[in-house]
Amino acid sequence: MNILLLGSGGREHAFAWKIVNSPNCKQLFVAPGNAGTASIAQNIAISPTDFNALADFSIENHIDMIMVGPEEPLVKGITDFFDNHPTLHHLPVIGPSQAGAQLEGSKDFSKQFMQKYSVPTAAYETFTKETFEEGLAFIRKQSLPIVLKADGLAAGKGVLICQSHDEAEDSLKEMLLDSKFGKASDKVVIEQFLKGIELSVFVATDGSHYKILPEAKDYKRIGEGDTGLNTGGMGAVSPVPFADEEFIKKVEERVVIPTIQGLKKENIPYVGFLFIGLMNDAGNPYVIEYNVRMGDPETEAVLPRIKSDFVDLLYAMGTGKLDSYLLETASNTCTTVVLVAGGYPGDYEKGKKIIGLDPHESSSKSIVFHAGTKISDSGEILTNGGRVLAITGMGEDIASALENAYTKAAEVCWDGVYYRKDIGQDILNLIK
Ligand code: AMP
Ligand code: GLY
């Protein structure tokens, strides 16, 4: 099969690595990709949101399947565009319809959906400019802390956890009246704070059938001990020891099944991955959020644990045959450490030469996935983003996987490189 993969992060390098390792992949193109995908596939300089250019490319290059990595093209309707295309409507596109992508694109939509289909989540109300005063009154009745969420996509910054009523009232004003997040905060969801430990569960679906992939835990803050600013993700661990069979069964019964059935009842086409951000409160799952794609860096820890053919999985999703796909996963542990540019998630420089890297590098102990990297005209690999590399260590347990990830991380450097040294420590402390 000729496959076109969209995106340019560590997640997409991990997808590319799985796809090219399948005997069912003839040729893989990545739009636009990074230096890592360039070493195993063919990068093409097309934006994932330039649907017309992607369609022309697909026709010229006899593309058999498109895999969408990030949420932006999905929220902008890439799947509907191809489904309605005069010649490409049969091309499987792995990623939900624009209506389905609202599960991530609109917090208000996803909360209404969860309420309608009895998916456990935090109690909430939604407010607009017109109902600002009611919003203030609602805040005053809430116990602390109070969670405020911009309705739309806000580059991961749209969630505020307010420790006082005054702070929540000021934040509501900034969001609704001063357009703090532009149009994304025209509506604001105010919700109850959930206690517990977070984890992410990933589901592959063809719209009717589903497979639950290995779960992962993400490390969102820049600083060790989960301090400092939020980032796209600084590390990941899979599996998560407290997500035992009993817990995952609850997630399946209370969240996965009602979600897939709800989408069907609403006539919302959903072929793709669903990322369920959960809080485990005393053994019970509560949904924090849905994302309509795989997580980054969770994908870099989850995909190496999938043993069955990955292209077959994607094709089964795209052709409604997921019930006949046998998902096989490995029992080992993967831990991912993200190496970022100095200054990230604030201002940072690009174009730093990365030393100690072999672009083809992967062993039984570790794999180096590229995120923000590019190849210079003279063939050097340069930093090209905030999150630069995602290094996954594999092992029999968390400790050995971490040792392999950190050993590899220590071999790579550039001016300003930073990474957290405490990925997985909280889990190690918990299971001690
Ligand atoms: P999101 O942008 O929806 O991923 O939210 C960012 C982070 O805010 C989540 O990963 C949680 O750590 C936290 N968060 C969001 N909603 C809640 C909630 N209702 N209770 C506690 N923490 C939350
Ligand atoms: N790592 C969190 C996300 O991909 O949204």
Side-chain angles (χ1 to χ4, degrees), residues 30-321:
V30 190
N34 57 34
T37 60
S39 71
I40 54 173
Q42 191 178 328
N43 284 356
I44 53 166
I46 302 178
S47 158
T49 55
D50 189 347
F51 302 163
N52 284 309
L54 292 170
D56 291 345
F57 181 88
S58 300
I59 293 168
E60 280 160 28
N61 292 277
H62 308 286
I63 295 297
D64 300 302
M65 180 162 68
I66 298 183
M67 167 66 217
V68 186
E71 66 279 12
E72 198 191 354
L74 297 168
V75 172
K76 290 190 168 156
I78 188 166
T79 303
D80 312 68
F81 173 88
F82 278 94
D83 284 351
N84 294 314
H85 193 278
T87 50
L88 295 170
H89 54 275
H90 293 304
L91 181 66
V93 176
I94 311 306
S97 62
Q98 190 166 27
Q102 288 183 92
L103 283 181
E104 176 166 0
S106 166
K107 303 269 189 214
D108 180 45
F109 175 86
S110 75
K111 294 295 289 190
Q112 284 189 44
F113 179 89
M114 286 186 255
Q115 201 166 47
K116 185 164 177 188
Y117 293 100
S118 304
V119 174
T121 187
Y124 83 105
E125 290 222 16
T126 301
F127 299 93
T128 61
K129 207 179 204 166
E130 287 68 39
T131 56
F132 174 64
E133 290 298 329
E134 284 103 304
L136 293 180
F138 183 76
I139 284 173
R140 277 181 230 118
K141 284 189 285 182
Q142 302 306 307
S143 54
L144 294 171
I146 302 167
V147 183
L148 267 60
K149 296 185 171 180
D151 175 56
L153 293 181
K157 300 200 172 86
V159 175
L160 302 176
I161 301 190
C162 301
Q163 301 298 337
S164 73
H165 290 92
D166 287 349
E167 185 190 341
E169 289 183 22
D170 291 346
S171 300
L172 186 70
K173 177 182 168 291
E174 282 170 19
M175 287 163 96
L176 285 179
L177 305 187
D178 310 336
S179 302
K180 179 168 178 161
F181 299 108
K183 276 197 74 60
S185 61
D186 279 358
K187 279 188 202 169
V188 173
V189 167
I190 303 181
E191 70 178 28
Q192 170 208 1
F193 181 80
L194 295 168
K195 287 190 278 294
I197 314 178
E198 264 184 86
L199 83 156
S200 308
V201 169
F202 302 95
V203 180
T205 179
D206 60 9
S208 303
H209 317 99
Y210 63 87
K211 300 282 170 187
I212 299 180
L213 307 181
E215 74 289 346
K217 186 173 191 300
D218 179 20
Y219 293 79
K220 285 208 167 80
R221 304 288 188 125
I222 187 72
E224 287 168 19
D226 280 322
T227 53
L229 293 174
N230 252 327
T231 70
M234 295 296 291
V237 173
S238 177
V240 181
F242 62 76
D244 54 16
E245 217 171 295
E246 190 189 342
F247 182 79
I248 295 294
K249 192 92 205 132
K250 287 183 192 169
V251 175
E252 179 171 15
E253 284 166 2
R254 299 179 193 176
V255 182
V256 177
I257 293 171
T259 300
I260 298 204
Q261 286 180 347
L263 288 164
K264 243 184 140 59
K265 282 205 186 107
E266 300 287 322
N267 283 319
I268 295 177
Y270 199 111
V271 169
F273 293 97
L274 179 68
F275 162 158
I276 306 168
L278 290 168
M279 198 67 93
N280 173 352
D281 181 4
N284 290 311
Y286 291 86
V287 177
I288 299 172
E289 60 168 353
Y290 290 115
N291 292 306
V292 297
R293 52 177 172 81
M294 287 294 288
D296 193 354
E298 294 93 325
T299 303
E300 294 93 301
V302 167
L303 261 46
R305 299 190 53 227
I306 295 181
K307 290 200 294 190
S308 40
D309 189 274
F310 197 68
V311 170
D312 280 352
L313 170 66
L314 297 177
Y315 195 68
M317 290 161 74
T319 51
K321 303 224 169 73

